[in-house]
Amino acid sequence: MSITYVSTRDKNVRVTASQAVLKGLSDEGGLFVPERLPEFDKTMDEFTSMDYREVAYNVMKLLLDDYTEEELKTCINKAYDSKFDIPEITCLKEADGAYYLELFHGATIAFKDMALSILPHLLTTAAKKNNESREIVILTATSGDTGKAALAGFADVPGTKIVVFYPKDGVSPIQEKQMITQKGDNTCVIGLKANFDEAQTGVKKIFTNPDLAKEMSDHGYMFSSANSINIGRLVPQIVYYVYAYSRLLKDGVIKSGDRINIDVPTGNFGNILASYYAGKMGLPVKTFICASNENKVLFDFFGSGEYNKNREFHVTSSPSMDILISSNLERLIYHISGNDSERNAAFMASLSKDGNYTITDDMKAQLDMFYGGFCDEEGTAQAIKSLYEKTGYIIDTHTAVASGVYNAYKEKTKDDTPTVIASTASPYKFTRSVMTALDKKYDSMGDFELVDELEKLSKVKVPKAIDEIRNAPVRHDIVCEPSEMWGKIKNFLGF
Ligand SMILES: *Cc1c(COP(=O)(O)O)cnc(C)c1O
């Protein structure tokens, strides 16, 4: 039986997997969700003898079921290759009793590479399958890491162009340098005088405006999304949780059928939702730990059932999690409302009108597998420092939020279930925050000096992604107001 994708806001919008990948977002603003989540057709023991690409195929084929075996395997082989700096693609590092799943071995040293290295191939394959002849224009708002990972994935991919908006003062210096030095004639990077939520809202408005869609189409273009609202991002992210479990099994840390905890530093709720989907498909998980930074809207939501974005926005040392509207939470809301698009649409209307909504008790009862925690700036720095002092292992600020939350969780619950912590970025991406967490004295050094200091302390070689940008020329210098976004896009496309 094949899988149909439906919109979270209109049950009459029903598409195939490849159509959902191609469209990114449904016309009325809903997100595509699989009508049912299929169960794995391999056992966890069978996964232990597979490499990453084989696990990827056996997981993704279940959800992207209108891609042929050859199409999907071609996409997987193009994505998970020597762009990654370890042949295993991802690996687990045990430190202080937790298992850090290093998802940052791709081209831009953040976990976004895990999905964005395959999305361009899923998308161009979907266009062919659906006889789409218009050129695909990827439009993306980024809190830092998506932008670069999407640019790296789409640069010079035939039949695509990509426009990235980032909050001009809301990303790390290395994140900004990575983006504005991007090569590729089909790429466009714009700094927005706004925060991430405003950037994301601006992009969503352009996406859902039928007049603009028509104008685009008249010029031979169509929009698609590389944000984590695209199901083509979510599905590849399920893979590494299965892979992680299978490695723990292979290494004898757990026995077949044992449950694990999964702890994810969360912003847009994409990565943790992928782990939840893995659980629904048969991965044995006890608790999903949702770790927030000081923008703790999700922590409050899991506690009270009220989602309320009306609050102060904090710029933190984990900028990729500085988010007050976690877009992918909508998919979870849809599922716990009984896959009811009308109920979900009402919540989302309330969110857009009043900035909040409150779920019902029966919905809240379905969230008992989630544990919401948060870690403030001091706790984040402390988590980096104490892990380093105990073990010599250095984690980035985002991972440190999850690490801090995990330590508090363990102390509170005494739960000693083996726990996988999603390690979402290399510490080299957030060198200044990481190094000053270790010692304030580093604050006086330049960004690239800090890179060399980090290499000495961590004994981990400077990744290629950092070496590359040291002396790279700036290729993108446009800055604009949110009201100018559409004009800038038209400029780039030439109409
Ligand atoms: C994007 C990102 C996150 C948040 O992931 P979501 O899927 O948006 O919840 C966490 N850490 C890093 C380093 C990121 O780039």
Side-chain angles (χ1 to χ4, degrees):
M1 209 171 71
S2 72
I3 308 252
T4 298
Y5 285 78
V6 295
S7 164
T8 51
R9 298 192 194 175
D10 182 352
K11 64 174 182 295
N12 299 315
V13 178
R14 300 170 60 81
V15 297
T16 64
S18 66
Q19 287 165 343
V21 169
L22 194 57
K23 278 191 75 81
L25 188 67
S26 184
D27 290 335
E28 77 300 324
L31 276 53
F32 290 112
V33 283
E35 199 165 39
R36 65 187 172 85
L37 283 165
E39 303 230 328
F40 296 127
D41 62 4
K42 298 282 183 300
T43 64
M44 291 299 142
D45 284 303
E46 285 173 300
F47 284 125
T48 60
S49 60
M50 296 182 198
D51 68 11
Y52 193 85
R53 279 175 286 269
E54 290 170 306
V55 175
Y57 174 68
N58 280 288
V59 171
M60 291 174 58
K61 71 169 188 189
L62 300 172
L63 281 160
L64 302 179
D65 63 345
D66 71 327
Y67 287 72
T68 65
E69 176 170 351
E70 197 198 331
E71 284 169 343
L72 198 51
K73 286 188 169 165
T74 303
C75 291
I76 289 169
N77 291 334
K78 281 184 182 166
Y80 303 116
D81 62 6
S82 58
K83 288 191 287 302
F84 288 79
D85 65 11
I86 53 171
E88 299 83 0
I89 308 300
T90 175
C91 62
L92 287 163
K93 294 264 167 73
E94 196 270 335
D96 194 26
Y99 296 86
Y100 289 84
L101 179 62
E102 293 191 349
L103 300 171
F104 53 74
H105 289 282
T108 76
I109 60 174
F111 93 95
K112 305 287 197 295
D113 291 324
M114 299 302 291
L116 281 164
S117 54
I118 194 166
L119 182 68
H121 307 296
L122 294 176
L123 203 52
T124 47
T125 306
K128 267 191 222 118
K129 294 176 76 66
N130 292 284
N131 302 316
E132 178 56 67
S133 59
R134 289 173 294 176
E135 187 161 1
I136 298 167
V137 179
I138 299 297
L139 182 60
T140 288
T142 182
S143 56
D145 291 332
T146 296
K148 179 61 190 185
L151 287 162
F154 281 94
D156 295 324
V157 172
T160 69
K161 285 194 164 53
I162 171 163
V163 183
V164 171
F165 290 97
Y166 72 95
K168 179 76 185 112
D169 300 314
V171 300
S172 84
I174 288 183
Q175 284 180 313
E176 180 171 41
K177 185 96 196 267
Q178 278 189 312
M179 285 191 277
I180 62 180
T181 56
Q182 178 65 46
K183 294 181 195 162
D185 288 340
N186 65 335
T187 65
C188 173
V189 179
I190 299 175
L192 203 62
K193 292 185 202 155
N195 66 31
F196 171 69
D197 285 315
E198 291 161 327
Q200 178 156 264
T201 302
V203 161
K204 261 197 156 183
K205 272 193 189 141
I206 292 172
F207 255 119
T208 50
N209 184 328
D211 297 335
L212 305 190
K214 166 109 191 1
E215 212 177 323
M216 287 283 287
S217 196
D218 290 345
H219 291 89
Y221 292 115
M222 67 173 287
F223 277 130
S224 189
S225 161
N227 273 65
S228 58
I229 49 179
N230 192 315
I231 197 80
R233 286 261 316 262
L234 215 47
V235 173
Q237 292 181 353
I238 299 172
V239 175
Y240 46 74
Y241 292 109
V242 179
Y243 183 78
Y245 186 96
S246 71
R247 295 313 104 156
L248 290 176
L249 196 54
K250 195 173 179 172
D251 295 345
V253 175
I254 54 173
K255 295 189 305 299
S256 200
D258 282 356
R259 292 192 299 173
I260 60 169
N261 294 330
I262 293 176
D263 175 11
V264 185
T266 296
N268 228 350
F269 209 75
N271 202 5
I272 193 164
L273 185 76
S275 73
Y276 173 77
Y277 277 4
K280 289 279 173 201
M281 294 171 76
L283 189 73
V285 180
K286 180 164 184 253
T287 304
F288 300 96
I289 303 172
C290 175
S292 300
N293 66 21
E294 287 179 355
N295 296 293
K296 58 182 182 60
V297 60
L298 288 165
F299 166 79
D300 293 339
F301 168 73
F302 284 113
S304 69
E306 185 199 31
Y307 193 93
N308 190 342
K309 75 162 181 94
N310 301 318
R311 62 179 71 211
E312 197 186 332
F313 179 85
H314 298 279
V315 174
T316 73
S317 58
S318 46
S320 300
M321 296 157 65
D322 288 346
I323 290 174
L324 294 180
I325 306 174
S326 299
S327 302
N328 268 296
L329 186 68
E330 174 167 350
R331 289 192 161 106
L332 183 65
I333 298 294
Y334 171 84
H335 293 306
I336 61 172
S337 70
N339 291 350
D340 186 333
S341 58
E342 277 161 38
R343 271 176 94 188
N344 174 66
F347 289 124
M348 295 307 135
S350 164
L351 180 63
S352 112
K353 186 166 159 284
D354 304 320
N356 67 341
Y357 62 84
T358 302
I359 59 170
T360 58
D361 287 344
D362 68 297
M363 288 168 73
K364 194 156 180 272
Q366 295 174 64
L367 297 179
D368 58 354
M369 292 176 76
F370 284 92
Y371 173 91
F374 82 99
C375 191
D376 64 13
E377 287 292 276
E378 205 188 312
T380 304
Q382 191 52 43
I384 294 171
K385 191 172 158 79
S386 67
L387 190 63
Y388 173 68
E389 284 170 357
K390 264 192 207 164
T391 68
Y393 186 54
I394 302 186
I395 52 176
D396 98 291
T397 45
H398 301 74
T399 309
V401 168
S403 181
V405 166
Y406 176 60
N407 291 336
Y409 167 84
K410 227 172 31 180
E411 202 169 300
K412 187 170 156 195
T413 60
K414 310 282 179 242
D415 179 13
D416 60 1
T417 304
T419 297
V420 169
I421 298 181
S423 182
T424 51
S426 158
Y428 280 102
K429 200 155 189 176
F430 301 95
T431 353
R432 179 164 303 278
S433 304
V434 168
M435 293 303 282
T436 51
L438 295 176
D439 193 328
K440 289 268 182 291
K441 75 175 184 200
Y442 290 113
D443 206 20
S444 60
M445 292 190 188
D447 284 317
F448 285 101
E449 258 179 292
L450 289 174
V451 165
D452 296 327
E453 290 299 314
L454 177 55
E455 184 169 39
K456 281 185 220 151
L457 289 190
S458 66
K459 302 184 180 71
V460 174
K461 207 172 148 297
V462 178
K464 203 167 107 226
I466 295 293
D467 267 337
E468 271 171 5
I469 59 165
R470 275 188 201 251
N471 301 308
V474 171
R475 294 167 190 270
H476 304 270
D477 59 3
I478 304 173
V479 175
C480 80
E481 301 285 344
S483 60
E484 299 170 310
M485 292 168 78
W486 172 238
K488 296 290 178 204
I489 294 169
K490 286 203 294 190
N491 275 352
F492 172 61
L493 298 178
F495 63 91

